[in-house]
């Protein structure tokens, strides 16, 4: 199995975990869970590529890419509205969490493949790549919701 295929498998499994994390009904715990899932994905990708990785660099990388968490925070906090807020907030958080994890994974895969580290990459490039990958991530999550774990890139 090629490194790229193995990386795609790592990303895909973490997208599904992140989608589940987005469904956690307790506001802010969902964001913490998704962040932990993304950090685990970065560690696994770094191991695969035999790249330098530290928790601090991973956190900076994720924060730089995902930017402000106002949209995620809004979806998370919407869950405090009983009934419909919990359902709608959970669904939107699940989609956003999966798409974001997909995008973070794709940018990390590129960075590890070329730079062998997350610390030295051009953040402007990384943010632009994240935005493109986020849109693809939403499509991937949509296909995944329809077909289950059979969704492909």
């Amino acid at each position: 199995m090629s490194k790229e295929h193995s990386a795609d498998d790592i990303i895909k499994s973490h997208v599904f975990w992140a989608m589940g994390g987005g469904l956690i009904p307790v506001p802010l715990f969902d964001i913490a869970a998704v962040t932990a899932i993304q950090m685990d994905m970065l560690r696994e990708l770094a191991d695969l590529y035999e790249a330098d990785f530290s928790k601090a660099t991973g956190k900076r990388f994720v924060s730089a890419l995902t930017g402000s968490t106002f949209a995620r925070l809004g979806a998370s906090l919407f869950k405090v509205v009983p009934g419909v807020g919990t359902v709608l907030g959970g669904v939107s958080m699940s989609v956003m969490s999966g798409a974001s994890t997909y995008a973070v994974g794709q940018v990390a895969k590129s960075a590890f493949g070329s730079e062998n580290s997350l610390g030295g990459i051009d953040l402007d490039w990384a943010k632009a790549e994240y935005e493109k990958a986020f849109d693809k991530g939403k499509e991937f999550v949509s296909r995944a919701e329809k077909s289950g774990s059979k969704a492909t890139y």
Side-chain angles (χ1 to χ4, degrees), residues 63-67 107 122-132:
S63 294
L65 292 187
T66 60
V107 176
D122 175 355
L123 285 180
D124 290 331
W125 168 84
K127 288 176 188 177
E129 290 301 306
Y130 173 85
E131 292 302 322
K132 288 186 238 174

Side-chain angles (χ1 to χ4, degrees), residues 37-53:
I37 291 163
Q38 290 176 343
M39 292 297 293
D40 183 67
M41 176 182 65
L42 292 177
R43 184 194 50 74
E44 285 188 31
L45 289 170
D47 289 348
L48 174 67
Y49 284 94
E50 299 175 6
D52 294 331
F53 180 74

